[in-house]
Short mmCIF file of all heavy atoms in Angstrom, two decimals:
data_model
loop_
_atom_site.label_atom_id
_atom_site.label_comp_id
_atom_site.label_asym_id
_atom_site.label_seq_id
_atom_site.Cartn_x
_atom_site.Cartn_y
_atom_site.Cartn_z
N MET N 7 -1.05 -16.02 31.59
CA MET N 7 -0.31 -14.75 31.43
C MET N 7 -1.22 -13.75 30.85
O MET N 7 -1.87 -13.99 29.79
CB MET N 7 0.93 -14.92 30.48
CG MET N 7 1.57 -13.58 30.15
SD MET N 7 2.84 -13.77 28.91
CE MET N 7 4.27 -14.21 29.89
N ILE N 8 -1.30 -12.55 31.48
CA ILE N 8 -2.10 -11.50 30.92
C ILE N 8 -1.18 -10.45 30.36
O ILE N 8 -0.26 -9.97 30.87
CB ILE N 8 -2.96 -10.89 32.04
CG1 ILE N 8 -3.83 -11.91 32.64
CG2 ILE N 8 -3.67 -9.63 31.49
CD1 ILE N 8 -4.63 -11.40 33.84
N THR N 9 -1.52 -10.07 29.10
CA THR N 9 -0.67 -9.11 28.37
C THR N 9 -1.59 -7.93 28.03
O THR N 9 -2.80 -8.08 27.95
CB THR N 9 -0.05 -9.61 27.11
OG1 THR N 9 -1.03 -10.09 26.22
CG2 THR N 9 0.97 -10.75 27.43
N SER N 10 -1.08 -6.81 27.73
CA SER N 10 -1.85 -5.71 27.40
C SER N 10 -2.19 -5.78 25.92
O SER N 10 -1.44 -6.26 25.09
CB SER N 10 -1.19 -4.37 27.64
OG SER N 10 0.17 -4.33 27.14
N LYS N 11 -3.30 -5.17 25.52
CA LYS N 11 -3.78 -5.15 24.12
C LYS N 11 -2.82 -4.30 23.27
O LYS N 11 -2.52 -3.20 23.70
CB LYS N 11 -5.16 -4.66 24.06
CG LYS N 11 -5.75 -4.66 22.67
CD LYS N 11 -7.18 -4.14 22.75
CE LYS N 11 -7.67 -4.02 21.31
NZ LYS N 11 -9.04 -3.52 21.29
N LYS N 12 -2.45 -4.87 22.13
CA LYS N 12 -1.67 -4.10 21.27
C LYS N 12 -2.51 -3.16 20.44
O LYS N 12 -3.52 -3.48 19.96
CB LYS N 12 -0.87 -5.05 20.24
CG LYS N 12 0.12 -5.94 20.89
CD LYS N 12 0.83 -6.75 19.89
CE LYS N 12 1.85 -7.68 20.59
NZ LYS N 12 2.50 -8.59 19.65
N PRO N 13 -2.17 -1.85 20.37
CA PRO N 13 -2.95 -0.93 19.64
C PRO N 13 -2.88 -1.31 18.14
O PRO N 13 -1.90 -1.60 17.60
CB PRO N 13 -2.29 0.43 19.84
CG PRO N 13 -0.94 0.12 20.38
CD PRO N 13 -0.93 -1.26 20.92
N SER N 14 -4.11 -1.17 17.57
CA SER N 14 -4.25 -1.42 16.15
C SER N 14 -3.62 -0.26 15.34
O SER N 14 -3.84 0.87 15.70
CB SER N 14 -5.71 -1.60 15.72
OG SER N 14 -5.85 -1.83 14.37
N SER N 15 -2.82 -0.60 14.29
CA SER N 15 -2.27 0.44 13.44
C SER N 15 -3.19 0.86 12.36
O SER N 15 -2.97 1.75 11.60
CB SER N 15 -1.02 -0.06 12.91
OG SER N 15 -1.15 -1.16 12.11
N LYS N 16 -4.38 0.18 12.27
CA LYS N 16 -5.37 0.45 11.32
C LYS N 16 -6.49 1.35 11.77
O LYS N 16 -6.78 1.34 12.90
CB LYS N 16 -6.04 -0.93 10.68
CG LYS N 16 -5.12 -1.75 10.04
CD LYS N 16 -5.87 -2.88 9.37
CE LYS N 16 -4.86 -3.75 8.49
NZ LYS N 16 -5.62 -4.79 7.88
N ILE N 17 -6.99 2.17 10.93
CA ILE N 17 -8.12 3.02 11.23
C ILE N 17 -9.37 2.12 11.26
O ILE N 17 -9.56 1.30 10.42
CB ILE N 17 -8.26 4.11 10.06
CG1 ILE N 17 -6.99 4.97 9.99
CG2 ILE N 17 -9.50 4.91 10.35
CD1 ILE N 17 -7.02 5.89 8.77
N GLU N 18 -10.20 2.39 12.30
CA GLU N 18 -11.43 1.55 12.40
C GLU N 18 -12.62 2.44 12.11
O GLU N 18 -12.68 3.60 12.63
CB GLU N 18 -11.55 0.99 13.82
CG GLU N 18 -10.47 0.02 14.06
CD GLU N 18 -10.65 -0.78 15.45
OE1 GLU N 18 -11.70 -0.63 15.99
OE2 GLU N 18 -9.67 -1.43 15.83
N ILE N 19 -13.48 2.00 11.25
CA ILE N 19 -14.67 2.76 10.76
C ILE N 19 -15.88 1.91 11.00
O ILE N 19 -15.98 0.85 10.43
CB ILE N 19 -14.50 3.14 9.34
CG1 ILE N 19 -13.34 4.05 9.14
CG2 ILE N 19 -15.87 3.91 8.92
CD1 ILE N 19 -13.09 4.44 7.73
N ASP N 20 -16.82 2.40 11.80
CA ASP N 20 -18.11 1.74 11.95
C ASP N 20 -19.10 2.36 10.90
O ASP N 20 -19.49 3.50 10.95
CB ASP N 20 -18.63 2.07 13.39
CG ASP N 20 -20.06 1.40 13.66
OD1 ASP N 20 -20.63 0.78 12.77
OD2 ASP N 20 -20.49 1.64 14.79
N LEU N 21 -19.41 1.56 9.95
CA LEU N 21 -20.27 1.99 8.82
C LEU N 21 -21.66 2.28 9.29
O LEU N 21 -22.46 2.92 8.54
CB LEU N 21 -20.26 0.90 7.69
CG LEU N 21 -19.00 0.79 7.02
CD1 LEU N 21 -19.09 -0.33 5.98
CD2 LEU N 21 -18.42 2.03 6.39
N THR N 22 -22.07 1.78 10.44
CA THR N 22 -23.47 2.06 10.93
C THR N 22 -23.57 3.39 11.68
O THR N 22 -24.65 3.80 12.02
CB THR N 22 -24.02 0.85 11.81
OG1 THR N 22 -23.19 0.83 13.03
CG2 THR N 22 -23.95 -0.49 11.09
N GLY N 23 -22.45 3.96 11.97
CA GLY N 23 -22.39 5.22 12.70
C GLY N 23 -22.12 6.45 11.79
O GLY N 23 -22.18 6.28 10.55
N PRO N 24 -21.77 7.60 12.39
CA PRO N 24 -21.56 8.76 11.61
C PRO N 24 -20.38 8.61 10.64
O PRO N 24 -20.37 9.27 9.61
CB PRO N 24 -21.25 9.85 12.68
CG PRO N 24 -21.80 9.34 14.03
CD PRO N 24 -21.81 7.81 13.81
N GLN N 25 -19.45 7.77 10.96
CA GLN N 25 -18.28 7.57 10.13
C GLN N 25 -18.67 6.83 8.81
O GLN N 25 -17.93 6.91 7.83
CB GLN N 25 -17.19 6.87 10.77
CG GLN N 25 -16.42 7.59 11.79
CD GLN N 25 -15.28 6.88 12.37
OE1 GLN N 25 -15.36 5.63 12.63
NE2 GLN N 25 -14.19 7.52 12.49
N GLY N 26 -19.76 6.22 8.80
CA GLY N 26 -20.27 5.52 7.63
C GLY N 26 -20.95 6.32 6.62
O GLY N 26 -21.25 5.86 5.57
N ASN N 27 -21.06 7.60 6.85
CA ASN N 27 -21.70 8.56 5.97
C ASN N 27 -20.76 8.71 4.71
O ASN N 27 -19.53 8.71 4.80
CB ASN N 27 -21.78 10.00 6.61
CG ASN N 27 -22.30 11.00 5.77
OD1 ASN N 27 -21.64 11.42 4.84
ND2 ASN N 27 -23.57 11.41 6.03
N ALA N 28 -21.36 8.70 3.53
CA ALA N 28 -20.55 8.69 2.28
C ALA N 28 -19.60 9.83 2.26
O ALA N 28 -18.43 9.72 1.77
CB ALA N 28 -21.50 8.73 1.08
N PHE N 29 -20.01 11.01 2.72
CA PHE N 29 -19.10 12.26 2.63
C PHE N 29 -18.00 12.06 3.64
O PHE N 29 -16.90 12.57 3.31
CB PHE N 29 -19.95 13.50 2.93
CG PHE N 29 -21.00 13.75 1.83
CD1 PHE N 29 -22.33 13.57 2.11
CD2 PHE N 29 -20.60 14.22 0.69
CE1 PHE N 29 -23.28 13.86 1.10
CE2 PHE N 29 -21.51 14.45 -0.38
CZ PHE N 29 -22.85 14.22 -0.09
N VAL N 30 -18.21 11.43 4.83
CA VAL N 30 -17.10 11.19 5.73
C VAL N 30 -16.13 10.20 5.10
O VAL N 30 -14.92 10.43 5.16
CB VAL N 30 -17.63 10.69 7.08
CG1 VAL N 30 -16.51 10.23 7.96
CG2 VAL N 30 -18.54 11.73 7.74
N LEU N 31 -16.63 9.19 4.48
CA LEU N 31 -15.74 8.13 3.79
C LEU N 31 -14.98 8.87 2.74
O LEU N 31 -13.78 8.52 2.51
CB LEU N 31 -16.57 7.06 3.26
CG LEU N 31 -17.14 6.08 4.31
CD1 LEU N 31 -18.14 5.10 3.71
CD2 LEU N 31 -16.10 5.37 5.14
N LEU N 32 -15.60 9.69 1.98
CA LEU N 32 -14.79 10.39 0.87
C LEU N 32 -13.75 11.19 1.48
O LEU N 32 -12.62 11.34 0.82
CB LEU N 32 -15.77 11.24 -0.02
CG LEU N 32 -16.69 10.36 -0.95
CD1 LEU N 32 -17.86 11.32 -1.39
CD2 LEU N 32 -15.85 9.82 -2.07
N GLY N 33 -13.97 11.96 2.56
CA GLY N 33 -13.00 12.78 3.21
C GLY N 33 -11.82 11.92 3.69
O GLY N 33 -10.69 12.29 3.62
N ILE N 34 -12.13 10.71 4.32
CA ILE N 34 -11.02 9.86 4.75
C ILE N 34 -10.28 9.34 3.58
O ILE N 34 -9.07 9.32 3.63
CB ILE N 34 -11.64 8.69 5.62
CG1 ILE N 34 -12.31 9.26 6.93
CG2 ILE N 34 -10.56 7.67 5.95
CD1 ILE N 34 -13.03 8.24 7.70
N ALA N 35 -10.96 8.96 2.53
CA ALA N 35 -10.31 8.44 1.30
C ALA N 35 -9.41 9.53 0.75
O ALA N 35 -8.24 9.20 0.26
CB ALA N 35 -11.36 7.99 0.37
N ARG N 36 -9.88 10.77 0.71
CA ARG N 36 -9.05 11.85 0.20
C ARG N 36 -7.78 12.02 0.94
O ARG N 36 -6.67 12.14 0.34
CB ARG N 36 -9.85 13.23 0.14
CG ARG N 36 -9.04 14.33 -0.41
CD ARG N 36 -9.77 15.67 -0.35
NE ARG N 36 -10.38 15.96 0.99
CZ ARG N 36 -9.65 16.46 1.93
NH1 ARG N 36 -8.36 16.78 1.84
NH2 ARG N 36 -10.16 16.69 3.16
N ASP N 37 -7.81 12.06 2.25
CA ASP N 37 -6.69 12.24 3.12
C ASP N 37 -5.74 11.08 2.84
O ASP N 37 -4.53 11.25 2.77
CB ASP N 37 -7.03 12.24 4.60
CG ASP N 37 -7.88 13.51 4.98
OD1 ASP N 37 -7.84 14.52 4.05
OD2 ASP N 37 -8.46 13.48 5.99
N LEU N 38 -6.28 9.82 2.81
CA LEU N 38 -5.42 8.68 2.60
C LEU N 38 -4.75 8.65 1.20
O LEU N 38 -3.61 8.29 1.02
CB LEU N 38 -6.20 7.39 2.87
CG LEU N 38 -6.54 6.99 4.31
CD1 LEU N 38 -7.47 5.87 4.34
CD2 LEU N 38 -5.29 6.77 5.08
N ALA N 39 -5.56 9.02 0.21
CA ALA N 39 -5.01 9.08 -1.16
C ALA N 39 -3.85 10.06 -1.25
O ALA N 39 -2.80 9.80 -1.89
CB ALA N 39 -6.09 9.49 -2.14
N ILE N 40 -3.98 11.19 -0.62
CA ILE N 40 -2.91 12.17 -0.61
C ILE N 40 -1.61 11.59 0.11
O ILE N 40 -0.53 11.72 -0.41
CB ILE N 40 -3.36 13.55 0.07
CG1 ILE N 40 -4.39 14.13 -0.86
CG2 ILE N 40 -2.15 14.40 0.34
CD1 ILE N 40 -5.14 15.29 -0.17
N GLN N 41 -1.86 10.97 1.25
CA GLN N 41 -0.70 10.39 1.99
C GLN N 41 -0.04 9.26 1.24
O GLN N 41 1.15 9.10 1.26
CB GLN N 41 -1.22 9.83 3.34
CG GLN N 41 -1.65 10.94 4.23
CD GLN N 41 -2.25 10.18 5.61
OE1 GLN N 41 -1.93 9.17 5.94
NE2 GLN N 41 -3.10 10.99 6.30
N LEU N 42 -0.90 8.48 0.45
CA LEU N 42 -0.30 7.40 -0.26
C LEU N 42 0.15 7.84 -1.71
O LEU N 42 0.53 6.94 -2.47
CB LEU N 42 -1.35 6.25 -0.40
CG LEU N 42 -1.66 5.67 0.95
CD1 LEU N 42 -2.83 4.74 0.85
CD2 LEU N 42 -0.47 4.92 1.51
N ASP N 43 0.01 9.07 -2.07
CA ASP N 43 0.36 9.60 -3.36
C ASP N 43 -0.39 8.97 -4.50
O ASP N 43 0.15 8.54 -5.54
CB ASP N 43 1.91 9.46 -3.60
CG ASP N 43 2.44 10.43 -4.68
OD1 ASP N 43 1.78 11.45 -4.81
OD2 ASP N 43 3.34 10.08 -5.35
N LEU N 44 -1.81 8.72 -4.24
CA LEU N 44 -2.60 8.19 -5.18
C LEU N 44 -3.25 9.38 -5.97
O LEU N 44 -3.45 10.43 -5.43
CB LEU N 44 -3.72 7.30 -4.63
CG LEU N 44 -3.20 6.07 -3.93
CD1 LEU N 44 -4.43 5.32 -3.19
CD2 LEU N 44 -2.56 5.05 -4.95
N ASP N 45 -3.75 9.13 -7.18
CA ASP N 45 -4.47 10.15 -7.91
C ASP N 45 -5.86 10.28 -7.40
O ASP N 45 -6.77 9.47 -7.63
CB ASP N 45 -4.55 9.77 -9.38
CG ASP N 45 -5.24 10.83 -10.29
OD1 ASP N 45 -5.92 11.74 -9.75
OD2 ASP N 45 -5.33 10.59 -11.49
N TRP N 46 -6.17 11.30 -6.44
CA TRP N 46 -7.33 11.48 -5.80
C TRP N 46 -8.50 11.68 -6.79
O TRP N 46 -9.64 11.20 -6.57
CB TRP N 46 -7.35 12.60 -4.80
CG TRP N 46 -8.67 13.05 -4.33
CD1 TRP N 46 -9.24 14.20 -4.44
CD2 TRP N 46 -9.68 12.24 -3.71
NE1 TRP N 46 -10.57 14.24 -3.88
CE2 TRP N 46 -10.84 12.96 -3.43
CE3 TRP N 46 -9.73 10.85 -3.27
CZ2 TRP N 46 -11.92 12.49 -2.82
CZ3 TRP N 46 -10.84 10.35 -2.64
CH2 TRP N 46 -11.88 11.19 -2.43
N ASN N 47 -8.34 12.31 -7.81
CA ASN N 47 -9.40 12.56 -8.81
C ASN N 47 -9.96 11.26 -9.31
O ASN N 47 -11.14 11.02 -9.50
CB ASN N 47 -9.01 13.52 -9.91
CG ASN N 47 -8.84 14.89 -9.38
OD1 ASN N 47 -9.51 15.40 -8.50
ND2 ASN N 47 -7.82 15.61 -9.99
N TYR N 48 -8.94 10.32 -9.68
CA TYR N 48 -9.40 9.08 -10.18
C TYR N 48 -10.10 8.20 -9.19
O TYR N 48 -11.12 7.60 -9.41
CB TYR N 48 -8.19 8.26 -10.69
CG TYR N 48 -8.50 6.95 -11.35
CD1 TYR N 48 -8.97 6.89 -12.57
CD2 TYR N 48 -8.26 5.74 -10.57
CE1 TYR N 48 -9.31 5.66 -13.08
CE2 TYR N 48 -8.58 4.58 -11.17
CZ TYR N 48 -9.16 4.48 -12.47
OH TYR N 48 -9.50 3.24 -12.94
N VAL N 49 -9.55 8.17 -7.93
CA VAL N 49 -10.19 7.45 -6.84
C VAL N 49 -11.55 7.95 -6.60
O VAL N 49 -12.54 7.24 -6.41
CB VAL N 49 -9.22 7.44 -5.61
CG1 VAL N 49 -10.03 6.75 -4.47
CG2 VAL N 49 -7.99 6.70 -5.85
N HIS N 50 -11.79 9.27 -6.51
CA HIS N 50 -12.99 9.91 -6.27
C HIS N 50 -14.05 9.58 -7.33
O HIS N 50 -15.23 9.25 -7.00
CB HIS N 50 -12.80 11.48 -6.18
CG HIS N 50 -14.11 12.16 -5.91
ND1 HIS N 50 -14.82 12.69 -6.92
CD2 HIS N 50 -14.66 12.43 -4.74
CE1 HIS N 50 -15.92 13.27 -6.38
NE2 HIS N 50 -15.79 13.22 -5.04
N GLU N 51 -13.59 9.63 -8.58
CA GLU N 51 -14.45 9.33 -9.64
C GLU N 51 -14.95 7.88 -9.61
O GLU N 51 -16.10 7.60 -9.77
CB GLU N 51 -13.76 9.55 -11.06
CG GLU N 51 -14.65 9.38 -12.18
CD GLU N 51 -13.89 9.65 -13.56
OE1 GLU N 51 -13.16 10.70 -13.57
OE2 GLU N 51 -14.05 8.87 -14.44
N GLU N 52 -14.06 7.01 -9.29
CA GLU N 52 -14.37 5.64 -9.10
C GLU N 52 -15.39 5.33 -7.96
O GLU N 52 -16.29 4.59 -8.02
CB GLU N 52 -13.14 4.71 -9.01
CG GLU N 52 -13.41 3.19 -9.22
CD GLU N 52 -12.06 2.47 -9.31
OE1 GLU N 52 -10.95 3.01 -9.43
OE2 GLU N 52 -12.18 1.23 -9.18
N MET N 53 -15.14 5.99 -6.86
CA MET N 53 -15.91 5.80 -5.68
C MET N 53 -17.32 6.32 -5.96
O MET N 53 -18.26 5.83 -5.37
CB MET N 53 -15.31 6.56 -4.45
CG MET N 53 -14.12 5.82 -3.83
SD MET N 53 -13.34 6.69 -2.44
CE MET N 53 -14.62 6.29 -1.15
N THR N 54 -17.46 7.47 -6.66
CA THR N 54 -18.80 8.04 -6.82
C THR N 54 -19.46 7.62 -8.10
O THR N 54 -20.45 8.26 -8.50
CB THR N 54 -18.65 9.54 -6.78
OG1 THR N 54 -17.74 10.05 -7.76
CG2 THR N 54 -18.22 10.04 -5.38
N SER N 55 -18.99 6.58 -8.78
CA SER N 55 -19.53 6.25 -10.02
C SER N 55 -20.81 5.36 -9.96
O SER N 55 -21.46 5.20 -10.96
CB SER N 55 -18.42 5.44 -10.84
OG SER N 55 -18.24 4.16 -10.18
N SER N 56 -21.14 4.99 -8.77
CA SER N 56 -22.35 4.18 -8.60
C SER N 56 -22.99 4.42 -7.24
O SER N 56 -22.91 5.57 -6.73
CB SER N 56 -21.98 2.69 -8.80
OG SER N 56 -23.10 1.89 -8.83
N ASP N 57 -23.47 3.45 -6.58
CA ASP N 57 -24.19 3.54 -5.27
C ASP N 57 -23.24 3.46 -4.14
O ASP N 57 -21.99 3.35 -4.13
CB ASP N 57 -25.30 2.57 -5.21
CG ASP N 57 -24.82 1.10 -5.29
OD1 ASP N 57 -23.57 0.85 -5.36
OD2 ASP N 57 -25.64 0.11 -5.38
N TYR N 58 -23.88 3.42 -2.86
CA TYR N 58 -23.07 3.35 -1.72
C TYR N 58 -22.32 2.08 -1.48
O TYR N 58 -21.10 2.17 -1.07
CB TYR N 58 -24.18 3.51 -0.47
CG TYR N 58 -23.45 3.50 0.92
CD1 TYR N 58 -22.70 4.62 1.35
CD2 TYR N 58 -23.55 2.37 1.66
CE1 TYR N 58 -22.08 4.64 2.59
CE2 TYR N 58 -22.88 2.39 2.99
CZ TYR N 58 -22.18 3.47 3.38
OH TYR N 58 -21.57 3.44 4.66
N GLU N 59 -22.80 1.04 -1.97
CA GLU N 59 -22.06 -0.32 -1.93
C GLU N 59 -20.87 -0.20 -2.81
O GLU N 59 -19.80 -0.69 -2.42
CB GLU N 59 -22.95 -1.43 -2.32
CG GLU N 59 -23.98 -1.87 -1.28
CD GLU N 59 -23.36 -2.23 0.07
OE1 GLU N 59 -22.41 -2.91 0.09
OE2 GLU N 59 -23.94 -1.68 1.06
N ASN N 60 -20.89 0.46 -3.95
CA ASN N 60 -19.79 0.57 -4.86
C ASN N 60 -18.74 1.49 -4.09
O ASN N 60 -17.51 1.16 -4.12
CB ASN N 60 -20.18 1.27 -6.12
CG ASN N 60 -18.97 1.54 -6.95
OD1 ASN N 60 -18.32 0.65 -7.56
ND2 ASN N 60 -18.68 2.84 -7.06
N LEU N 61 -19.17 2.56 -3.40
CA LEU N 61 -18.24 3.39 -2.77
C LEU N 61 -17.48 2.65 -1.69
O LEU N 61 -16.25 2.81 -1.58
CB LEU N 61 -19.14 4.60 -2.05
CG LEU N 61 -18.33 5.60 -1.33
CD1 LEU N 61 -18.84 7.00 -1.68
CD2 LEU N 61 -18.32 5.39 0.18
N ILE N 62 -18.14 1.77 -0.96
CA ILE N 62 -17.51 1.02 0.04
C ILE N 62 -16.51 0.01 -0.56
O ILE N 62 -15.37 -0.14 0.00
CB ILE N 62 -18.56 0.27 1.01
CG1 ILE N 62 -19.25 1.22 1.74
CG2 ILE N 62 -17.86 -0.78 1.88
CD1 ILE N 62 -20.48 0.60 2.49
N GLN N 63 -16.87 -0.61 -1.63
CA GLN N 63 -16.03 -1.57 -2.19
C GLN N 63 -14.85 -0.97 -2.86
O GLN N 63 -13.69 -1.46 -2.67
CB GLN N 63 -16.81 -2.39 -3.30
CG GLN N 63 -17.81 -3.33 -2.82
CD GLN N 63 -18.62 -4.00 -3.93
OE1 GLN N 63 -18.41 -3.72 -5.09
NE2 GLN N 63 -19.64 -4.83 -3.50
N VAL N 64 -14.96 0.17 -3.47
CA VAL N 64 -13.81 0.89 -3.99
C VAL N 64 -12.88 1.44 -2.78
O VAL N 64 -11.73 1.27 -2.90
CB VAL N 64 -14.25 2.02 -4.89
CG1 VAL N 64 -13.05 2.87 -5.36
CG2 VAL N 64 -15.02 1.56 -6.08
N PHE N 65 -13.48 1.89 -1.79
CA PHE N 65 -12.82 2.37 -0.66
C PHE N 65 -11.92 1.15 -0.05
O PHE N 65 -10.71 1.46 0.18
CB PHE N 65 -13.66 2.85 0.47
CG PHE N 65 -13.05 3.43 1.66
CD1 PHE N 65 -12.84 4.84 1.85
CD2 PHE N 65 -12.58 2.64 2.73
CE1 PHE N 65 -12.26 5.44 2.89
CE2 PHE N 65 -11.95 3.14 3.79
CZ PHE N 65 -11.81 4.56 3.88
N ASP N 66 -12.59 0.02 0.08
CA ASP N 66 -11.88 -1.13 0.58
C ASP N 66 -10.74 -1.63 -0.38
O ASP N 66 -9.71 -2.02 0.07
CB ASP N 66 -12.80 -2.30 0.82
CG ASP N 66 -12.18 -3.41 1.53
OD1 ASP N 66 -11.55 -3.24 2.60
OD2 ASP N 66 -12.38 -4.60 1.07
N HIS N 67 -10.98 -1.50 -1.70
CA HIS N 67 -9.95 -1.89 -2.71
C HIS N 67 -8.70 -1.00 -2.49
O HIS N 67 -7.63 -1.53 -2.52
CB HIS N 67 -10.53 -1.71 -4.08
CG HIS N 67 -9.51 -1.81 -5.17
ND1 HIS N 67 -8.98 -3.02 -5.56
CD2 HIS N 67 -8.86 -0.87 -5.95
CE1 HIS N 67 -8.10 -2.85 -6.51
NE2 HIS N 67 -8.00 -1.59 -6.69
N TYR N 68 -8.88 0.28 -2.41
CA TYR N 68 -7.68 1.18 -2.31
C TYR N 68 -7.11 1.24 -0.89
O TYR N 68 -5.87 1.37 -0.73
CB TYR N 68 -8.07 2.58 -2.76
CG TYR N 68 -8.18 2.68 -4.23
CD1 TYR N 68 -9.39 2.74 -4.87
CD2 TYR N 68 -6.98 2.79 -5.01
CE1 TYR N 68 -9.45 2.84 -6.25
CE2 TYR N 68 -7.08 2.81 -6.42
CZ TYR N 68 -8.32 2.85 -7.03
OH TYR N 68 -8.42 2.97 -8.39
N PHE N 69 -7.93 1.13 0.13
CA PHE N 69 -7.43 1.47 1.50
C PHE N 69 -7.67 0.35 2.47
O PHE N 69 -7.44 0.55 3.70
CB PHE N 69 -8.11 2.68 2.00
CG PHE N 69 -8.07 3.89 0.94
CD1 PHE N 69 -9.21 4.32 0.38
CD2 PHE N 69 -6.86 4.42 0.71
CE1 PHE N 69 -9.17 5.37 -0.61
CE2 PHE N 69 -6.69 5.44 -0.27
CZ PHE N 69 -7.81 5.96 -0.92
N GLY N 70 -8.06 -0.82 2.10
CA GLY N 70 -8.32 -2.04 2.93
C GLY N 70 -7.17 -2.44 3.69
O GLY N 70 -7.28 -3.05 4.71
N ASP N 71 -5.97 -2.19 3.28
CA ASP N 71 -4.73 -2.47 4.06
C ASP N 71 -4.55 -1.55 5.25
O ASP N 71 -3.73 -1.88 6.11
CB ASP N 71 -3.44 -2.38 3.16
CG ASP N 71 -3.44 -3.55 2.10
OD1 ASP N 71 -4.18 -4.55 2.24
OD2 ASP N 71 -2.69 -3.44 1.09
N PHE N 72 -5.23 -0.43 5.30
CA PHE N 72 -5.04 0.57 6.28
C PHE N 72 -6.30 0.85 7.15
O PHE N 72 -6.15 1.49 8.16
CB PHE N 72 -4.59 1.90 5.62
CG PHE N 72 -3.49 1.72 4.68
CD1 PHE N 72 -3.71 1.67 3.23
CD2 PHE N 72 -2.15 1.60 5.08
CE1 PHE N 72 -2.66 1.52 2.43
CE2 PHE N 72 -1.09 1.40 4.20
CZ PHE N 72 -1.38 1.39 2.84
N VAL N 73 -7.42 0.25 6.70
CA VAL N 73 -8.69 0.52 7.37
C VAL N 73 -9.47 -0.72 7.56
O VAL N 73 -9.51 -1.56 6.71
CB VAL N 73 -9.52 1.55 6.46
CG1 VAL N 73 -10.92 1.78 7.14
CG2 VAL N 73 -8.72 2.81 6.24
N ILE N 74 -10.04 -0.80 8.71
CA ILE N 74 -10.93 -1.90 9.04
C ILE N 74 -12.42 -1.32 9.12
O ILE N 74 -12.66 -0.32 9.80
CB ILE N 74 -10.66 -2.55 10.40
CG1 ILE N 74 -9.33 -3.18 10.40
CG2 ILE N 74 -11.70 -3.61 10.72
CD1 ILE N 74 -8.76 -3.68 11.78
N MET N 75 -13.34 -1.78 8.34
CA MET N 75 -14.77 -1.25 8.31
C MET N 75 -15.64 -2.34 8.97
O MET N 75 -15.45 -3.47 8.65
CB MET N 75 -15.16 -1.00 6.90
CG MET N 75 -14.44 0.22 6.28
SD MET N 75 -15.08 0.63 4.64
CE MET N 75 -14.39 -0.67 3.65
N TYR N 76 -16.52 -1.86 9.78
CA TYR N 76 -17.56 -2.79 10.47
C TYR N 76 -18.88 -2.35 9.98
O TYR N 76 -19.21 -1.20 9.88
CB TYR N 76 -17.38 -2.60 12.09
CG TYR N 76 -16.07 -2.96 12.57
CD1 TYR N 76 -15.15 -1.88 12.90
CD2 TYR N 76 -15.77 -4.22 12.81
CE1 TYR N 76 -13.97 -2.18 13.46
CE2 TYR N 76 -14.46 -4.53 13.31
CZ TYR N 76 -13.59 -3.52 13.69
OH TYR N 76 -12.40 -3.77 14.24
N ARG N 77 -19.74 -3.30 9.94
CA ARG N 77 -21.19 -3.07 9.65
C ARG N 77 -22.04 -3.33 10.88
O ARG N 77 -21.82 -4.19 11.63
CB ARG N 77 -21.65 -3.97 8.51
CG ARG N 77 -21.19 -3.52 7.17
CD ARG N 77 -22.01 -4.24 6.14
NE ARG N 77 -21.37 -4.05 4.81
CZ ARG N 77 -21.96 -3.33 3.86
NH1 ARG N 77 -23.11 -2.81 4.02
NH2 ARG N 77 -21.30 -3.18 2.77
#
């Protein structure tokens, strides 16, 4: 039986492409934080408190239920 692919309800981000840019990730995070009624200032501060790997880990912590990231 052949069935059609179910569309993913998650946002997909390729970290090796333009979407992997830290500023793009911060923009996506801001939009999601607003939608989820999170304190954007706190999330932003945590995301930018260290290096790029930290930014990705914090992003995944807050938004991993809604976003799939690929390397």
Side-chain angles (χ1 to χ4, degrees):
M7 172 189 276
I8 299 175
T9 61
S10 51
K11 182 180 174 183
K12 294 181 182 177
S14 175
S15 61
K16 292 188 176 189
I17 299 168
E18 295 186 13
I19 297 175
D20 179 0
L21 295 175
T22 63
Q25 287 185 318
N27 178 290
F29 294 108
V30 173
L31 291 172
L32 286 166
I34 295 169
R36 180 183 50 82
D37 293 343
L38 288 172
I40 291 168
Q41 291 176 26
L42 297 170
D43 200 30
L44 297 174
D45 181 354
W46 166 239
N47 291 325
Y48 182 79
V49 174
H50 180 267
E51 185 177 318
E52 196 172 342
M53 287 180 73
T54 58
S55 67
S56 186
D57 60 6
Y58 181 75
E59 286 301 315
N60 174 71
L61 183 134
I62 292 171
Q63 289 176 2
V64 174
F65 185 98
D66 189 49
H67 170 76
Y68 283 103
F69 310 112
D71 291 340
F72 310 100
V73 176
I74 299 171
M75 293 185 284
Y76 301 100
R77 285 191 191 249

